[in-house]
Amino acid sequence: MIIWLASYPKSGNTLMRSFLSSYFFSKDGTFSFELLKNIKQYPNGDLFTRLGVNIEDPHEIAKSHIRVQEFLNKDKKSFKFLKTHSSFVKMDGFSFTDLANTLGVIHIVRDPRDVVVSLAHHNNQSIEKTTEMINRDFVMGAHSKDGMPVYMGSWSRNYNSWKVFNNKGKYLLIKFEDLIQDKEENFKKILNFIKVLTKSNFEINDKKIKKILQEIKFEKLKKLEETEGFNEAKTDEKGNKIRFFREGKSNNWKKTLDPIIKTSIEAACQKEMKELGYL
């Protein structure tokens, strides 16, 4: 069964995957980028193609999500993590996932004013264009080489869509700001959620947690990217890699965001930002 690591882009999903992959897929908590391969991005073009889905046809992709997830769940493992930036929505009348395939959702949310700054840098595009993207229903990758559309939606839609799993007791909300302020407390909260969700008896190992937290300090990840590279980093128009691990802080928007852009985001996301305590 799938545990979704759901988030809007640049909201802390990589930090979450770094911790979980180190905890569940390493013996002693030593981190490497290689471990992240244990938590795959979804949707993934290779997987759909393997099942004979025409990934150049968005309708075929939309109607195949449940079939692909049923295939993933055939191995009968108690749980598996999948990272997604998709909203929990219907596409051409077909649902992104369902309760038969979803064990639970860990939802990572970040202040949209910080998201827009980080995402603009990540995509090597203007703040204005990025703001327009997060304020409207955006489909990521609709024109990419592998043709895999990700129905991110607006920042607000993305946040609201996954909350429906809360009614089923299958939802944990983690704010990026809380996570970086107290990693140990929040990662223990996440592990306890997984333990209850999966009805597992795995040990919550304080020593291993502390080791991992040293391993995945932001400056260490930044240094690791400099020395080894990071395959999730994008390239600019000249083919140069754009640094993935750049700031990793909250409230960075206060130093860089134009007041007009700030007002636009706050107007578009007002209800949700108030609910989350950002306003």
Side-chain angles (χ1 to χ4, degrees):
M1 292 283 281
I2 298 165
I3 298 177
W4 297 101
L5 306 182
S7 72
Y8 205 80
K10 304 306 290 183
S11 296
N13 210 315
T14 301
L15 177 61
M16 180 74 70
R17 288 186 296 136
S18 298
F19 175 81
L20 291 176
S21 63
S22 298
Y23 195 85
F24 287 103
F25 303 110
S26 75
K27 288 184 179 180
D28 64 354
T30 300
F31 174 75
S32 70
F33 287 145
E34 192 71 17
L35 285 173
L36 293 177
K37 293 179 180 179
N38 291 287
I39 302 178
K40 299 187 183 303
Q41 174 96 16
Y42 185 92
N44 178 283
D46 290 341
L47 180 59
F48 278 69
T49 300
R50 197 191 326 165
L51 293 182
V53 179
N54 178 10
I55 61 172
E56 294 182 2
D57 185 342
H59 180 77
E60 286 298 309
I61 294 171
K63 78 175 188 179
S64 300
H65 279 293
I66 300 302
R67 180 163 70 91
V68 168
Q69 291 167 33
E70 287 172 346
F71 173 78
L72 284 170
N73 284 324
K74 273 186 176 179
D75 62 8
K76 305 300 181 185
K77 286 183 180 178
S78 59
F79 65 93
K80 58 178 63 63
F81 301 109
L82 287 179
K83 166 198 171 181
T84 191
H85 292 317
S86 177
S87 297
F88 175 53
V89 293
K90 286 192 174 183
M91 298 148 286
D92 288 354
F94 300 99
S95 185
F96 175 78
T97 189
D98 59 17
L99 286 171
N101 288 288
T102 296
L103 191 59
V105 179
I106 301 171
H107 194 188
I108 312 105
V109 177
R110 187 182 188 185
D111 188 323
R113 294 166 296 191
D114 273 326
V115 168
V116 77
V117 173
S118 185
L119 188 57
H121 181 270
H122 178 67
N123 288 336
N124 194 31
Q125 67 184 18
S126 69
I127 291 282
E128 290 77 12
K129 184 176 181 180
T130 309
T131 301
E132 180 186 349
M133 184 177 80
I134 76 166
N135 285 349
R136 65 180 175 86
D137 283 340
F138 184 77
V139 182
M140 180 172 68
H143 305 292
S144 65
K145 291 180 180 179
D146 67 4
M148 296 300 293
V150 179
Y151 289 79
M152 297 191 326
S154 66
W155 179 89
S156 294
R157 179 189 287 273
N158 196 290
Y159 164 62
N160 285 318
S161 69
W162 287 102
K163 291 192 296 181
V164 298
F165 284 94
N166 197 31
N167 298 328
K168 306 294 182 181
K170 294 176 175 289
Y171 178 84
L172 178 65
L173 175 68
I174 296 291
K175 289 171 64 177
F176 173 79
E177 296 78 12
D178 295 338
L179 184 61
I180 61 172
Q181 183 174 339
D182 193 335
K183 291 185 179 70
E184 184 169 356
E185 178 185 341
N186 280 277
F187 281 132
K188 283 184 178 179
K189 183 193 297 185
I190 292 162
L191 291 174
N192 276 300
F193 173 73
I194 295 168
K195 191 169 184 176
V196 171
L197 199 64
T198 59
K199 299 177 182 177
S200 302
N201 60 358
F202 66 81
E203 178 189 6
I204 296 181
N205 186 322
D206 287 344
K207 184 178 179 181
K208 191 172 186 179
I209 290 171
K210 290 182 187 299
K211 167 73 179 294
I212 295 170
L213 293 183
Q214 289 298 314
E215 288 280 305
I216 64 170
K217 281 184 175 180
F218 188 82
E219 289 305 318
K220 280 197 172 184
L221 294 177
K222 197 172 179 179
K223 185 68 175 176
L224 196 61
E225 181 182 13
E226 289 174 359
T227 56
E228 297 185 6
F230 185 46
N231 63 6
E232 294 181 29
K234 293 190 175 184
T235 55
D236 62 22
E237 60 278 0
K238 295 180 179 179
N240 300 313
K241 284 282 186 180
I242 301 169
R243 179 176 290 174
F244 187 92
F245 298 99
R246 192 175 64 92
E247 292 286 346
K249 299 176 182 177
S250 60
N251 292 320
N252 195 46
W253 64 268
K254 293 181 179 179
K255 299 185 293 183
T256 57
L257 207 57
D258 183 277
I260 295 175
I261 298 293
K262 168 185 172 293
T263 301
S264 169
I265 295 170
E266 291 173 354
C269 309
Q270 183 180 55
K271 176 179 174 292
E272 293 76 18
M273 289 180 74
K274 284 184 176 179
E275 182 177 315
L276 288 161
Y278 293 139
L279 287 178

